[in-house]
Amino acid sequence: MSRTRTLFAAISIAAVSLLAACGDNGDSAAGATDTTAAAAADTTVADDNASSDTAGETITSDTGSPAPTGPGKDTEFCQFQQELNDMATPFDNQDSGAAEFEQYFKEMVNPAIDKLESLAPDEVKAQMTTLAAGLRQFSAAFEKNGWDPEKAYADPDLQALATNTDYNSAGAAVDEFCGF
């Protein structure tokens, strides 16, 4: 998974994908964000997210995660999502507490959602609008639950987001556009 919904899955339920940014590369909690932000977000490289060149070697970004390979790979939108995917997040550290999650959402995730919406090319603008709404819901669930991930993931609003067909379809479309 790698979406801004990871932006955010991490924000992943991400990151997010901060979430994706297209952001989640596969270890989002509750499986809710397998894109952007989150996402954004998760920096774990899943084997199914890697691409290969003709020699069979994995193509990666400067930071080691799979580089975008889709039709929008050269857009500022996809490049920004790549940056988000490559960032370390509190989801990467089991010792992260409420303070780290609050800082992450307020200083990184929420501004990244706005930037992704503004950068979204026409081909994925509607999908990014759907993802942004979901990522804001993700962020709101964390805030409502005192930035505690366990409580946030148990929140019915966040659980509903994880199974929201429109949100998941939008994330898949953005991932395909960028090639994550």
Side-chain angles (χ1 to χ4, degrees), residues 8-67:
F8 281 105
I11 281 214
S12 283
I13 341 203
V16 230
S17 312
L18 189 165
L19 66 28
C22 286
D24 171 13
N25 292 334
D27 65 348
S28 63
T33 33
D34 55 345
T35 60
T36 341
D42 184 10
T43 58
T44 303
V45 177
D47 291 339
D48 63 347
N49 287 335
S51 61
S52 297
D53 64 15
T54 55
E57 296 176 18
T58 300
I59 302 169
T60 60
S61 69
D62 291 340
T63 58
S65 67

Side-chain angles (χ1 to χ4, degrees), residues 1 5 12-14 28-34 138 158 161-162 167-168:
M1 284 193 278
R5 261 186 301 171
S12 283
I13 341 203
S28 63
T33 33
D34 55 345
F138 186 87
L158 205 52
L161 179 62
Y167 176 75
N168 288 307

Side-chain angles (χ1 to χ4, degrees), residues 46-119:
D47 291 339
D48 63 347
N49 287 335
S51 61
S52 297
D53 64 15
T54 55
E57 296 176 18
T58 300
I59 302 169
T60 60
S61 69
D62 291 340
T63 58
S65 67
T69 59
K73 68 182 178 184
D74 294 325
T75 64
E76 187 177 0
F77 174 75
C78 293
Q79 294 302 312
F80 181 59
Q81 287 195 52
Q82 181 67 46
E83 289 175 33
L84 295 172
N85 290 343
D86 292 341
M87 289 181 173
T89 76
F91 294 96
D92 299 328
N93 183 350
Q94 291 183 6
D95 295 329
S96 295
E100 289 84 7
F101 281 98
E102 180 177 14
Q103 180 180 9
Y104 174 67
F105 277 94
K106 287 183 174 181
E107 294 179 10
M108 205 295 287
V109 173
N110 295 337
I113 295 168
D114 294 338
K115 183 172 181 177
L116 285 167
E117 264 194 308
S118 72
L119 292 175

Side-chain angles (χ1 to χ4, degrees), residues 144-157:
K144 177 172 83 173
N145 289 285
W147 308 105
D148 181 323
E150 287 186 40
K151 290 179 183 176
Y153 289 134
D155 189 294
D157 291 340

